[in-house]
Amino acid sequence: MPPFLLPRQPLRSLDEYFATDVGGLGLKRAVDLGPEATVTEILQSGLRGRGGGGFPTGRKWRGVLDQGGTHRYVVANGAEGEPGTFKDRALMRANPYQLVEGLIIAAFAVGAREAFLCLKASFEPELEAVTRAVTELQDAGVCRDCRITIVRGPDEYLYGEEKAMLEVIEGKPPLPRLLPPYEHGLFATAPQTGWQATENEPGHVGRHESNPTLVNNVETLSNVPHILARGADWFRSMGTEESPGTVVATVVGDVVAPDVGEVELGTPLRAVLDAVGSGVAPDRQVKAVFSGVANPVVPERLLDVPLSYEGLQSVGSGMGAAGFIVYDDTACMVEVARQFSRFLWIESCGQCPPCKLGSGEITERLGRVEAGVADVSDMREIGAWLDKVTDGNRCFLAV
Ligand SMILES: Cc1cc2nc3c(=O)[nH]c(=O)nc-3n(C[C@H](O)[C@H](O)[C@H](O)COP(=O)(O)O)c2cc1C
Ligand code: SF4
């Protein structure tokens, strides 16, 4: 299967993008179809969100389209904070045009008045690439009447969480708000649930608005022009029934050549580690693989699992953002557990006390296990905190 999302050579100009068999044709087809049929095409393609949750993209678009109210927004999530993941940055460097076209199509499909493209301020080459793409597409009149604002956000992990991202767009710190974006979107004035109250927009009259907002990952949106230009059946000819298409996987850690590569969904995980990361060193064996810090471990004996949402779920783990951190047989798994736990503790914002207190307590007690000074009460406390660390959680960091 030739890669279609991640070209071997980066595209340097809009002319180069238009010279491909997709550039501009996805939006043209969407306009020909109209918003309703565009959403149906995405629904039929079976595309699932590549930001970590794997939620069906067409269902998400339909949900926003069907919400009441007059103001809707679309957000492209390019925060890419998941440890071990570099695929959104690779995509933005290689082809920022397909992302911006996907964003314009999404805005058209859900009837959004404005779109936001959110990156970290520290992502300098990617900011340069998306700024070039937005400017060229605007100058060529391709953006139609959709205004696109590029947001330079903070480095915190939580910035990538969609409810925190909306706060950042509004100029606030990345603290996840209570309700999901389709219920309480950007600049929403009803209901007031954020950390700080939001003023009515200038000139706004009538009832308060909830402004349903669509948030999609950079890779998800990058798939969109290809699906529209070539059709849902083409997309479904790759991957599996429940996980169609390809995925851009990152393989890092104890491998010969850490890298990013596009693979067909359903490929065995072991083959992905070899194809993308060149496998572990010849005299070493894989001990454990993690898809980011949020999914349970995949041990060596399960590595033949297909890389798909249902495949990784069947072995008790998950796809996450398809960023795989590999540990070889020299790794201490207690140390790995403590490092992951410490990361979540530091990044937890503390709005939900069990998340902050529990991750801190678990981390410190794992440190005692690692140092060889723990006793049975440490193990009991770790188990007890694992049971309640997600109590009342506003976001999935704690999960
Ligand atoms: C703590 C945390 C961090 C997240 N970071 C990212 C991120 O960096 N990029 C991203 O696309 N999604 C991230 N997500 C998931 C988003 O909240 C959201 O589900 C996603 O952007 C939706 O896009 P999709 O449906 O296209 O996958 C994060 C979620 C959590 C709980
Ligand atoms: S679950 Fe944790 S990270 Fe998420 S909002 Fe609550 S305290 Fe913050």
Side-chain angles (χ1 to χ4, degrees):
M1 184 230 49
F4 65 93
L5 282 177
L6 199 58
R8 291 198 172 87
Q9 293 299 325
L11 298 187
R12 295 279 169 219
S13 69
L14 184 58
D15 286 343
E16 277 187 35
Y17 181 52
F18 280 163
T20 67
D21 56 356
V22 165
L25 298 180
L27 179 61
K28 184 177 177 312
R29 172 123 191 279
V31 172
D32 289 347
L33 289 172
E36 279 286 341
T38 299
V39 174
T40 303
E41 188 78 20
I42 296 298
L43 202 58
Q44 284 172 349
S45 75
L47 174 65
R48 296 173 68 163
R50 305 288 195 245
F55 192 80
T57 307
R59 269 174 52 201
K60 197 184 252 192
W61 288 22
R62 172 76 63 209
V64 172
L65 185 63
D66 288 348
Q67 291 281 325
T70 51
H71 295 179
R72 298 197 187 86
Y73 296 92
V74 175
V75 174
N77 188 343
E80 191 157 64
E82 191 63 38
T85 309
F86 204 87
K87 49 101 178 173
D88 292 335
R89 274 164 285 180
L91 282 169
M92 289 187 279
R93 287 180 187 192
N95 187 351
Y97 301 98
Q98 61 188 359
L99 164 63
V100 179
E101 188 179 353
L103 186 59
I104 299 167
I105 294 170
F108 169 75
V110 303
R113 64 199 324 246
E114 192 173 350
F116 293 85
L117 181 39
C118 297
L119 278 69
K120 290 185 165 137
S122 54
F123 290 179
E124 287 173 16
E126 296 77 18
L127 280 165
E128 183 278 319
V130 298
T131 305
R132 169 169 43 92
V134 168
T135 308
E136 285 181 70
L137 282 157
Q138 262 163 354
D139 290 349
V142 181
C143 291
R144 298 159 49 90
D145 51 2
C146 175
R147 194 167 76 197
I148 300 176
T149 303
I150 296 171
V151 178
R152 292 161 165 77
D155 273 330
E156 276 101 328
Y157 181 46
L158 270 179
Y159 171 44
E161 198 280 334
E162 57 188 10
K163 294 179 293 174
M165 183 162 276
L166 299 197
E167 291 283 296
V168 171
I169 295 171
E170 294 178 5
K172 302 167 198 166
L175 299 170
R177 40 169 81 159
L178 205 52
L179 297 175
Y182 65 89
E183 279 179 11
H184 187 82
L186 273 174
F187 314 111
T189 49
Q192 292 281 4
T193 56
W195 193 250
Q196 289 166 259
T198 304
E199 294 295 318
N200 263 349
E201 284 175 73
H204 184 96
V205 286
R207 292 178 51 209
H208 284 196
E209 293 282 355
S210 60
N211 300 355
T213 298
L214 172 72
V215 183
N216 270 138
N217 168 259
V218 157
E219 184 181 347
T220 313
L221 291 167
S222 296
N223 272 285
V224 165
H226 298 269
I227 293 170
L228 265 302
R230 296 162 163 159
D233 289 344
W234 163 82
F235 192 69
R236 280 201 169 275
S237 70
M238 296 168 289
T240 70
E241 176 67 26
E242 290 176 59
S243 308
T246 65
V247 69
V248 182
T250 316
V251 178
V252 298
D254 296 333
V255 289
V256 173
D259 207 347
V260 179
E262 184 177 358
V263 294
E264 187 166 355
L265 282 157
T267 308
L269 180 54
R270 194 186 298 277
V272 174
L273 303 184
D274 289 343
V276 179
S278 304
V280 291
D283 54 342
R284 297 262 68 97
Q285 283 188 335
V286 174
K287 186 183 235 179
V289 178
F290 291 85
S291 46
V293 293
N295 279 309
V297 59
V298 181
E300 197 279 339
R301 69 189 156 78
L302 298 176
L303 283 189
D304 292 313
V305 62
L307 175 59
S308 63
Y309 295 96
E310 66 280 15
L312 281 158
Q313 199 180 2
S314 74
V315 298
S317 189
M319 275 274 284
F324 297 100
I325 310 171
V326 179
Y327 290 93
D328 71 18
D329 50 351
T330 62
C332 166
M333 297 318 291
V334 178
E335 184 186 354
V336 174
R338 183 189 53 79
Q339 283 172 345
F340 283 16
S341 179
R342 181 169 179 274
F343 172 82
L344 294 169
W345 175 30
I346 290 172
E347 297 297 331
S348 164
C349 69
Q351 289 185 99
C352 326
C355 170
K356 192 72 175 179
L357 296 174
S359 53
E361 196 66 30
I362 292 166
T363 305
E364 288 193 346
R365 288 178 190 270
L366 283 171
R368 284 170 53 79
V369 179
E370 196 185 346
V373 296
D375 58 31
V376 72
S377 70
D378 290 295
M379 303 312 292
R380 212 181 288 127
E381 277 299 306
I382 290 172
W385 272 112
L386 286 175
D387 278 342
K388 54 183 187 257
V389 72
T390 54
D391 284 0
N393 60 308
R394 266 178 191 241
C395 86
F396 281 93
L397 181 140
V399 181

